[in-house]
Amino acid sequence: MKGGPGVFPSKKGDIGVIHFIRTMEIKFERYHLQSDLRSPFEGFETISVPTEVRVDPLTKRRSRIITWGLPSPGKFDFSNMAEESKGCLFCLENIFQKTPQFMKEIVPEGRVCIGRAVGFPNLNPVGSYGSIVVLCREHFLSLNQLTPEIYEEGLSVAIEIIRRTTAFDPDTRHWQISQNFLLPGGSTILHPHLQVIGDPIPTNEMEWLLDASSSYYQKNGTSYWNDLIQTEKELGKRYITRIGKVHWFVSFAPIGFNEVCASAEGHGSVATLGKEEIASLARGIASTLKYYDGKGLNSFNLSIYSISGEAHYQLLTRIISRTPFQPYYLNDWTSFEILHSELTSNIIPEELCREIQPYFA
Ligand SMILES: [Zn+2]
């Protein structure tokens, strides 16, 4: 690969860094790629199609920003699907009879309930501690019906499960609170719910975040997360807003469509969050989902990467939209993402920040 910081492509096909900003030690690297072809829509005249490759300032992972081939908005009517699947395991008539209970040593009362949210162990776990938090009584809610209050209760249950499990087994330091919404997001159950998963070992993503955060600290003597927030605030192009101690922003190099992130100041784990911080997190999640709904999107994935005992890491939340569910829907993960770990985004991050800001007001 030719080129380097500040070097422009010298001839067609060369790759060069076209933009290089150095603020503290955070580097926003971008590469401009271009594909030339003769288009049938332009009388077979030569056209150039650009792609921007961005490198994540922390993990150095590359993402491609593409703006063609946007998935069409979902116009799917869920009423039949919701009607047919009503009375599921998570519906009120079944939830207290047919879902598992926690071990007595962890949750003596069997399940954790706060408001409408109910938490219990996952019958099909993927690790040491797997739980489900059913968010609401309604069997189906669209993205604009998932309110901050629903998330506040749901996150509170998830965090209570994490606190109690960690008190029982302190080695379980790596937790995720995740959500898969609708089939494109990987969920077969329509009823809105969270997954709470805890293990003594990190996931790949957690390990990359931890390793990169501590190398950044070793090099610079400062926290990457504080520096990032400071830098994004100063640049003003991707910083959405601050809700209490939670900073919301769009990533420079997203790993999914319409990616929105949050960082909670002064926390690595959700276990130490106070009521107000949980509410701030809930509000931002609901605002993001409202924005997705406004764009005709209906499916998403969410994850909160909660890790305790790591001095240089700060609690990260990441939400991405998935291609809308409808008949013959398009999966947005192709061989590029799944086999090359090269991720794509179909919106320019700075544009997403501008568009989403009013939803956080
Ligand atoms: Zn249900």
Side-chain angles (χ1 to χ4, degrees), residues 126-165:
V126 288
S128 316
Y129 298 99
S131 306
I132 299 284
V133 177
V134 172
L135 288 173
C136 52
R137 299 270 156 93
E138 292 86 352
H139 177 64
F140 176 72
L141 290 177
S142 56
L143 297 199
N144 64 345
Q145 294 172 313
L146 288 162
T147 61
E149 295 71 33
I150 289 177
Y151 275 100
E152 220 178 304
E153 292 173 356
L155 291 177
S156 300
V157 168
I159 293 167
E160 186 58 23
I161 291 171
I162 293 172
R163 284 178 184 147
R164 295 215 203 175
T165 311

Side-chain angles (χ1 to χ4, degrees), residues 85-92 137-140 189-191:
S85 55
K86 236 181 191 161
C88 77
L89 277 182
F90 300 168
C91 276
L92 193 60
R137 299 270 156 93
E138 292 86 352
H139 177 64
F140 176 72
I189 297 180
L190 220 51
H191 205 128

Side-chain angles (χ1 to χ4, degrees), residues 95 100 102 110-114 117-121 131-134 157 161:
I95 194 163
F102 285 104
R111 298 185 187 88
V112 178
C113 303
I114 297 174
V118 182
F120 47 85
S131 306
I132 299 284
V133 177
V134 172
V157 168
I161 291 171

Side-chain angles (χ1 to χ4, degrees), residues 30 41 44 74 142 165 174 185-186 188 246 257 261 291 343-344 359:
R30 317 173 183 207
F41 304 111
F44 294 99
S142 56
T165 311
H174 308 89
T188 48
V246 182
F257 287 3
C261 293
Y291 166 75
L343 304 136
T344 53
Y359 289 82

Side-chain angles (χ1 to χ4, degrees), residues 261-274:
C261 293
S263 183
E265 220 178 288
H267 298 273
S269 154
V270 290
T272 54
L273 292 181

Side-chain angles (χ1 to χ4, degrees), residues 5 46 49 61 81 102 194 198 201 204 219 257 276 325 328:
T46 302
V49 186
R61 184 164 42 191
M81 208 171 152
F102 285 104
L194 303 174
I201 55 166
N204 283 318
K219 238 192 234 160
F257 287 3
E276 264 177 49
F325 182 65
Y328 313 115

Side-chain angles (χ1 to χ4, degrees), residues 58-312:
L58 181 68
T59 60
K60 306 299 171 204
R61 184 164 42 191
R62 288 177 235 259
S63 303
R64 296 190 176 215
I65 316 291
I66 50 157
T67 48
W68 47 265
L70 308 173
S72 56
K75 298 238 187 312
F76 192 70
D77 175 8
F78 288 95
S79 48
N80 277 346
M81 208 171 152
E83 200 49 48
E84 275 171 27
S85 55
K86 236 181 191 161
C88 77
L89 277 182
F90 300 168
C91 276
L92 193 60
E93 60 266 39
N94 292 325
I95 194 163
F96 295 107
Q97 277 79 45
K98 296 186 178 167
T99 62
Q101 295 190 4
F102 285 104
M103 301 294 289
K104 284 208 162 66
E105 305 88 299
I106 301 174
V107 181
E109 63 271 40
R111 298 185 187 88
V112 178
C113 303
I114 297 174
R116 290 154 289 187
V118 182
F120 47 85
N122 191 342
L123 206 51
N124 303 302
V126 288
S128 316
Y129 298 99
S131 306
I132 299 284
V133 177
V134 172
L135 288 173
C136 52
R137 299 270 156 93
E138 292 86 352
H139 177 64
F140 176 72
L141 290 177
S142 56
L143 297 199
N144 64 345
Q145 294 172 313
L146 288 162
T147 61
E149 295 71 33
I150 289 177
Y151 275 100
E152 220 178 304
E153 292 173 356
L155 291 177
S156 300
V157 168
I159 293 167
E160 186 58 23
I161 291 171
I162 293 172
R163 284 178 184 147
R164 295 215 203 175
T165 311
T166 314
F168 170 75
D169 180 358
D171 288 341
T172 308
R173 297 192 300 115
H174 308 89
W175 287 91
Q176 52 168 302
I177 302 176
S178 296
Q179 187 171 8
N180 307 320
F181 194 78
L182 289 188
L183 290 128
S187 177
T188 48
I189 297 180
L190 220 51
H191 205 128
H193 60 281
L194 303 174
Q195 308 259 358
V196 186
I197 300 164
D199 284 304
I201 55 166
T203 61
N204 283 318
E205 184 68 28
M206 287 174 183
E207 186 156 87
W208 297 331
L209 290 171
L210 290 178
D211 284 354
S213 299
S214 67
S215 331
Y216 184 92
Y217 182 81
Q218 304 307 335
K219 238 192 234 160
N220 303 293
T222 51
S223 149
Y224 169 79
W225 301 96
N226 290 341
D227 287 359
L228 177 75
I229 289 160
Q230 193 57 35
T231 307
E232 290 293 16
K233 258 185 173 170
E234 279 164 21
L235 292 172
K237 288 180 173 173
R238 290 176 296 269
Y239 186 81
I240 303 169
T241 194
R242 172 201 177 112
I243 308 177
K245 278 190 169 176
V246 182
H247 299 267
W248 289 89
F249 58 94
V250 175
S251 348
F252 170 75
I255 64 172
F257 287 3
N258 298 295
E259 181 180 308
V260 172
C261 293
S263 183
E265 220 178 288
H267 298 273
S269 154
V270 290
T272 54
L273 292 181
K275 257 185 169 346
E276 264 177 49
E277 287 149 329
I278 296 172
S280 304
L281 212 46
R283 248 183 70 196
I285 293 171
S287 301
T288 304
L289 300 184
K290 239 190 178 90
Y291 166 75
Y292 288 173
D293 185 74
K295 279 194 103 174
L297 300 163
N298 57 29
S299 179
F300 69 94
N301 291 114
L302 167 157
S303 201
I304 303 174
Y305 307 81
S306 169
I307 306 153
S308 55
E310 297 285 343
H312 312 304

